[in-house]
Amino acid sequence: MTASPSSAAAPAPAPSPLRLVVVPTPQPPLQDGRVPVRLVHPGLSAPRPAHRPGPRPRPAYAARDDDFGPAWSARAELPDARDAGRRLITLTLEALAGRRPLAQLQPITSLGVFAALSGGRRPRWCAEGTSPLVVGPVHVCEPVDGVAEVTAVARRGGRAHAVAARLEGIDGRWRCTALQVG
């Protein structure tokens, strides 16, 4: 038996040639002190630098009396992150359970975290029931100087729930800037 020409496999189409696509990098234009260089088209604005979470670099000059506002603190200027994290997690869970006023969290949280706690709904496992809340060991990771990420497991009524927070050193004390209660 011979195969008919119609049943033979059709030749594969030739692959399309590769082409180079130039993608602009999301970096600010390079600046040289000797010769000003402009790498941006005249009609376009310069791209914004990438967001880098964490504390901002501290200024090299000495602080003057007329400086004001919050100042980032180095790790050496801050208390123990594990104790601060345990205190934050315990206070937060007690406030969500209705055992202490939410206003007590205001000094140790950022405005955004406090607004979310005040206006958000409370986790059902935290708000309902009378069994005690038990916070397990607090784990601390310090990815950058002046920043601590703390996690713990809270138990209530035989169930475990994860709690995570980001603490940043501001004005010589830890302040919670992100909080997740699972």
Side-chain angles (χ1 to χ4, degrees):
M1 274 180 60
T2 62
S4 67
S6 63
S7 65
S16 62
L18 295 177
R19 63 186 184 117
L20 176 65
V21 177
V22 178
V23 178
T25 59
Q27 297 176 355
L30 298 173
Q31 296 291 330
D32 187 358
R34 296 169 286 162
V35 180
V37 177
R38 183 159 173 93
L39 296 178
V40 180
H41 249 124
L44 300 176
S45 62
R48 294 176 53 185
H51 173 70
R52 293 184 184 94
R56 290 169 178 60
R58 299 185 69 163
Y61 64 88
R64 299 185 315 246
D65 289 337
D66 58 348
D67 287 343
F68 59 92
W72 298 101
S73 300
R75 178 65 183 103
E77 304 167 354
L78 296 165
D80 185 36
R82 190 174 317 277
D83 293 339
R86 175 171 291 284
R87 180 174 179 259
L88 170 79
I89 290 170
T90 304
L91 290 175
T92 301
L93 293 178
E94 288 176 354
L96 291 174
R99 296 185 180 165
R100 75 173 52 240
L102 277 172
Q104 291 183 1
L105 295 173
Q106 192 169 9
I108 60 174
T109 58
S110 66
L111 291 174
V113 171
F114 183 72
L117 287 171
S118 299
R121 62 178 184 84
R122 298 176 180 190
R124 194 174 75 205
W125 68 269
C126 200
E128 295 176 356
T130 58
S131 59
L133 284 163
V134 178
V135 178
V138 176
H139 301 278
V140 178
C141 174
E142 297 186 31
V144 185
D145 187 31
V147 175
E149 295 173 350
V150 296
T151 59
V153 175
R155 298 185 184 278
R156 183 173 202 184
R159 303 211 41 190
H161 306 277
V163 182
R166 179 182 174 95
L167 304 176
E168 294 184 8
I170 301 172
D171 292 333
R173 62 186 177 144
W174 292 110
R175 181 166 295 173
C176 176
T177 56
L179 178 69
Q180 181 71 42
V181 179

